[in-house]
Amino acid sequence: MEQTLQIAGMSCAACQHHVERALRSVPGVESASVNLLSNSAQITSVQPLGAQPLIDAVRHAGYDASLPASHQHATADHAEHVHDTDEPAIGLRALLSLIAGAIAMVLSMPLMMASPSTDPLLSLLARLLAPLTPAALMSLPAQPIRWFLCALSVAVMLFAAPEIYLAAWRAARHRSTNMNTLVAIGTLSAFAASLVATIRAKATGADVYFESVILILGFLLAGRWLEARARSQATRSIRGFAQLTAATARLLYIDPAAASPNYASAPETILPTDALATGDILRILPGDRIPVDGIVLDGRSSVDESMLTGEPLPVTRALGDRLISGTLNLDGVLVLRATAVGSASTLAQMQRLLSQAQSSRAPMQRLADRASAIFVPTILALAALAFTAWAIALNTGDRHQGLAQPFAIAIAVLIIACPCAMGLAVPAAITVAIGRAARLGLLIKGGEAIERIATLDTLALDKTGTLTEGKPHIAHFATISRSTLPQQDLLSLAAAVERSSTHPLAEAIVHFATVQSQLQNQSQLQNSKLETERNLPPPQATDIEVLPGIGIRALASGREILIGNASLLPAGDLDPELTAPAELSYATPIYLLMDKQPQAAFFATDQLRPEATEAIRDLHTLNIQPLILTGDTQLSAAAIAREAGIDTLRASLLPAQKLDAIRELQSQHHRVGMTGDGINDAAALAQSDAGFAISSGTDLAREAGDVLLLHPDLKLIPAAIRLSRRAARIMRQNLGWALLYNVIGIPIAAGALYPRFHILLSPVLASLAMALSSVSVLANSLRLRR
């Protein structure tokens, strides 16, 4: 059982870790994955589990949780609420805090001039501002300035950034720590030390850090505002899918007894889409979003499916065609019968899979998760160690410099450390990459899939319906001369059996038999004066059994009928009359056996997809070796392989043999991808390192692949590989930057450069660096949108 919760109060990777740990501690929970970008949690339980125990566990951990208003749009709606509602408020508070910080810096000039800072950057700033500072300001007494700065810092702490202290307090109550803990301890320590210095009323000296407290909070809020904007862009794809949902639909009232209903004059009523049921008949006007999956009953129109399939051109939909929820009706009136509504619709499935994919974990993230779990306690210990070391170094022997400088160093260590960058490094890249893929017409099922796709060196492709258009036609039909039934009767039997199959070759046989029957009827009508037309009922097939990778078996007209490939034939017993003509030597043969005796053969041909050759060239450019794995004959597969530019193929394979072929390549240390239709090739898709399934719309959630091609365009496969490689590279860059930032920044803040270069990092500059670190990770991830 899977369910989604909205999480409030998270600010960093440590928060994410605490929420996950709290959810996993609930009895019955199998796994929990928290998305820091969308502030949501995906929980999987081994048995039905109520939401209240999960919510209580999150609240006990110091955060808040709630059920989404609508399960269908849970993550999207919450992400939209967080980013679109909170972002302006955070931006305003950040602006006010920075203005207050600028005022505090100007008012602090007399204090800074009296006792120059050991931070060379702040000292340089003070020298640059000195000529611009009014003389009257420099003559102000120090004590009133300190008390004004104290009041200003209190106002910023209470009104601009209260959630930082509340979150730190909640975490402390539940014996946990997070990013807010570092900021709260750092700023409160600076404020307390400054207040003590103010009460002692020293006449001179820059012994207060009120301006640092204000600027730290201002930079932090500015960083969170920039993060909110970047997160909004990163999660825009989820919200884009949510916006495709139609709010209402036009329900038609049709008399169920009417043989030929008049859709044009049928009365209609407008209902919310949530009130629709399968089987309802709806009218879709030009400009309307199609609210549900359905079948066209009347009308003809152009439909824009670009947001769902990546296909840029509108497609024509008419009687009998399938419509997908979320697509846009352009120029005609359509009447449809609903076949899937609500959470069963294609749009809802895609949105759910996209949200789950963006909440998924990538193997690369495990290192960041482990580091984040111990990050904040480690920083607290390092700050204490730095304070102790500098307090001893500056107050032993002939030195008596007090605790002001060690205190500033400890605050800088607390402030500069940023677990946010480490926590966002991988999920930010995953979220943007999956959103970008969705806009291209690809649905990638998570971060782990991205990493596996990025490492592929071999790609196996099915032939029928994958490399080819999947719409074969019967080019020749042959029967044996000693057959006991005429050709038309054999065709009728074949059509009766194959109507129970959805295989492309079965559809080709049914179509061929129908056309031949129509031609025969026309001929009989022309010769009606000489010949009496037979009015025999069409045969009916019973006891139907699908033989995977081989064909189909059934009973019809009292006979056992077998239709399929050469596996059905007795060993070495192929009648010469059932061989293909020389000009169709590459055609796929389908044999018809009656009571286990070969009677006829169909010879089917299929066309290579127009984009297949270019897609194969792109794979070669990416250093990926393509090969064909098909159940078709060697001759048929070889013709398609030559046309597509593929050198390696394996033909006449059963599904189990395709699986063995994938395993064999993997045993040779190849990273193998598989492309297929997701049904006959399900085992091979599941075994491969990355499976690419050509989606069939309503079968979307049942596909076995790691990537769903929402539009049957083979060029999407190299596009997915190229995007995955870029995403994996950016994940590594983000992790490397987050690690390098902390490895370099924390020692500098701790005073590592002071003994040789006399450089100390002030808490103000540390807060600026901390704010920019996570923003830089998000900005780097957003490059994937291009």
Side-chain angles (χ1 to χ4, degrees):
M1 177 181 175
E2 293 186 357
Q3 52 186 309
T4 302
L5 290 179
Q6 296 175 353
I7 309 297
M10 294 190 301
S11 61
C12 66
C15 303
Q16 179 181 356
H17 174 77
H18 292 318
V19 173
E20 286 183 348
R21 187 173 61 185
L23 289 170
R24 292 187 187 124
S25 67
V26 176
V29 172
E30 184 177 15
S31 64
S33 177
V34 175
N35 190 332
L36 186 60
L37 283 170
S38 62
N39 294 290
S40 64
Q42 298 281 345
I43 303 101
T44 302
S45 55
V46 294
Q47 58 191 8
L49 184 64
Q52 196 57 47
L54 300 172
I55 294 174
D56 291 342
V58 173
R59 289 175 177 169
H60 184 71
Y63 304 88
D64 197 10
S66 63
L67 281 173
S70 168
H71 290 289
Q72 182 176 345
H73 311 302
T75 304
D77 286 349
H78 184 58
E80 186 171 9
H81 169 76
V82 169
H83 301 310
D84 294 346
T85 303
D86 292 352
E87 181 185 321
I90 295 175
L92 178 61
R93 289 190 285 124
L95 177 62
L96 293 176
S97 298
L98 291 175
I99 291 174
I103 294 172
M105 282 293 293
V106 172
L107 292 176
S108 299
M109 289 299 297
L111 306 179
M112 295 176 65
M113 294 301 180
S115 179
S117 172
T118 55
D119 188 327
L121 294 178
L122 282 184
S123 299
L124 175 62
L125 179 63
R127 288 195 300 271
L128 292 175
L129 293 177
L132 304 177
T133 304
L137 178 64
M138 296 299 295
S139 62
L140 289 176
Q143 193 64 5
I145 293 177
R146 292 193 188 97
W147 281 114
F148 180 81
L149 292 177
C150 178
L152 190 60
S153 61
V154 168
V156 171
M157 293 167 70
L158 292 181
F159 299 108
E163 73 276 6
I164 294 173
Y165 301 99
L166 290 174
W169 171 246
R170 285 196 300 266
R173 282 176 54 207
H174 296 92
R175 299 179 182 179
S176 63
T177 56
N178 54 38
M179 180 66 201
N180 296 302
T181 304
L182 299 180
V183 176
I185 291 178
T187 54
L188 287 174
S189 300
F191 178 82
S194 302
L195 181 61
V196 170
T198 301
I199 292 173
R200 289 179 178 175
K202 289 185 179 179
T204 60
D207 49 10
V208 294
Y209 301 100
F210 292 126
E211 77 284 353
S212 295
V213 171
I214 298 170
L215 286 172
I216 285 169
L217 296 176
F219 286 138
L220 177 65
L221 290 173
R224 290 189 176 178
W225 175 68
L226 292 173
E227 274 187 47
R229 287 178 57 86
R231 290 183 184 188
S232 179
Q233 295 177 14
T235 58
R236 187 173 296 170
S237 59
I238 299 181
R239 294 181 291 131
F241 276 97
Q243 292 164 2
L244 295 180
T245 304
T248 60
R250 294 177 174 85
L251 176 68
L252 298 186
Y253 292 100
I254 301 294
D255 184 0
S260 300
N262 187 347
Y263 298 114
S265 61
E268 71 176 31
T269 184
I270 297 178
L271 291 177
T273 52
D274 292 342
L276 299 177
T278 302
D280 284 346
I281 297 177
L282 310 175
R283 179 181 285 125
I284 312 296
L285 299 182
D288 285 353
R289 286 277 175 198
I290 295 170
V292 297
D293 292 359
I295 301 295
V296 177
L297 299 179
D298 185 59
R300 183 182 184 88
S301 180
S302 298
V303 178
D304 180 4
E305 299 182 348
S306 59
M307 184 60 187
L308 293 180
T309 66
E311 174 59 48
L313 298 177
V315 294
T316 301
R317 293 290 180 251
L319 180 64
D321 289 338
R322 187 183 67 196
L323 296 173
I324 305 174
S325 57
T327 54
L328 181 64
N329 184 29
L330 296 179
D331 51 23
V333 178
L334 294 172
V335 176
L336 65 86
R337 176 184 288 113
T339 58
V341 300
S343 61
S345 68
T346 299
L347 178 64
Q349 292 178 26
M350 288 179 61
Q351 189 176 325
R352 186 163 55 250
L353 288 173
L354 183 62
S355 298
Q356 291 172 354
Q358 292 187 327
S359 298
S360 65
R361 282 285 192 273
M364 209 180 294
Q365 194 173 344
R366 292 170 190 159
L367 173 63
D369 288 344
R370 287 195 295 267
S372 298
I374 60 172
F375 188 88
V376 175
T378 302
I379 295 303
L380 291 173
L382 288 175
L385 181 62
F387 175 82
T388 303
W390 280 102
I392 294 173
L394 296 178
N395 292 280
T396 55
D398 297 333
R399 291 185 171 186
H400 300 283
Q401 298 184 18
L403 299 178
Q405 187 167 314
F407 200 75
I409 290 172
I411 293 173
V413 171
L414 289 172
I415 297 301
I416 199 170
C418 186
C420 299
M422 192 172 296
L424 291 171
V426 175
I430 290 173
T431 299
V432 178
I434 290 174
R436 172 61 177 160
R439 293 183 179 273
L440 292 174
L442 291 157
L443 189 55
I444 302 178
K445 295 183 178 179
E448 185 175 355
I450 287 177
E451 287 200 35
R452 286 190 272 108
I453 294 167
T455 63
L456 295 181
D457 58 45
T458 305
L459 183 70
L461 300 104
D462 181 41
K463 184 181 81 69
T464 304
T466 301
L467 275 172
T468 64
E469 293 182 345
K471 298 179 180 178
H473 68 279
I474 304 301
H476 182 68
F477 178 61
T479 60
I480 59 174
S481 56
R482 62 180 182 278
S483 176
T484 58
L485 293 178
Q487 185 180 87
Q488 190 58 41
D489 289 351
L490 289 173
L491 285 173
S492 297
L493 287 170
V497 174
E498 293 288 25
R499 281 193 182 94
S500 303
S501 174
T502 58
H503 195 282
L505 290 174
E507 294 176 359
I509 290 173
V510 172
H511 177 73
F512 179 78
T514 302
V515 171
Q516 293 301 312
S517 177
Q518 292 172 350
L519 291 175
Q520 185 187 42
N521 289 339
Q522 291 175 4
S523 175
Q524 288 174 344
L525 287 174
Q526 293 172 0
N527 299 293
S528 58
K529 294 181 181 179
L530 302 175
E531 197 173 319
T532 302
E533 181 181 352
R534 295 185 301 170
N535 292 315
L536 298 177
Q540 298 295 318
T542 60
D543 295 342
I544 298 166
E545 179 186 1
V546 176
L547 309 174
I550 298 175
I552 191 169
R553 172 195 172 277
L555 296 178
S557 299
R559 306 288 187 92
E560 181 190 40
I561 306 299
L562 287 165
I563 304 175
N565 58 30
S567 302
L568 298 174
L569 298 175
D573 186 17
L574 178 59
D575 195 299
E577 293 180 297
L578 299 183
T579 56
E583 67 274 13
L584 292 175
S585 60
Y586 62 90
T588 300
I590 306 107
Y591 300 100
L592 187 153
L593 287 75
M594 188 168 62
D595 295 330
K596 295 188 172 54
Q597 297 301 313
Q599 298 291 315
F602 300 87
F603 296 94
T605 59
D606 199 359
Q607 297 295 318
L608 186 72
R609 290 188 185 274
E611 77 282 355
T613 304
E614 183 179 350
I616 297 303
R617 281 201 303 267
D618 287 347
L619 290 174
H620 284 299
T621 302
L622 294 169
N623 295 318
I624 292 178
Q625 180 63 40
L627 73 152
I628 295 176
L629 299 180
T630 179
D632 212 341
T633 64
Q634 181 75 21
L635 286 173
S636 300
I640 292 296
R642 283 194 302 271
E643 190 176 354
I646 298 176
D647 299 326
T648 307
L649 68 92
R650 299 186 187 185
S652 302
L653 299 180
L654 297 175
Q657 292 172 316
K658 288 185 180 181
L659 179 63
D660 291 339
I662 296 291
R663 287 173 175 168
E664 179 185 340
L665 290 167
Q666 289 172 330
S667 69
Q668 297 169 3
H669 306 292
H670 288 290
R671 303 286 293 178
V672 186
M674 174 69 192
T675 305
D677 60 15
I679 299 173
N680 293 335
D681 302 309
L685 284 166
Q687 175 63 37
S688 64
D689 295 291
F692 298 83
I694 297 180
S695 171
S696 58
T698 54
D699 293 331
L700 187 66
R702 296 196 297 270
E703 297 283 5
D706 299 293
V707 182
L708 304 180
L709 278 62
L710 304 179
H711 181 65
D713 184 350
L714 292 179
K715 288 186 292 185
L716 291 175
I717 298 174
I721 295 171
R722 195 175 290 112
L723 177 63
S724 296
R725 289 182 177 178
R726 287 186 63 210
R729 184 165 62 249
I730 283 181
M731 287 183 212
R732 289 191 292 270
Q733 290 172 358
N734 286 351
L735 278 176
W737 161 247
L739 181 62
L740 185 66
Y741 164 82
N742 285 295
V743 166
I744 294 178
I746 292 172
I748 291 176
L753 298 180
Y754 185 79
R756 184 172 181 85
F757 301 102
H758 294 281
I759 293 177
L760 283 175
L761 198 62
S762 73
V764 172
L765 295 180
S767 66
L768 177 62
M770 180 271 295
L772 292 178
S773 62
S774 55
V775 174
S776 64
V777 164
L778 286 167
N780 190 43
S781 300
L782 288 173
R783 294 193 299 121
L784 287 167
R785 297 182 63 199
R786 296 195 299 269

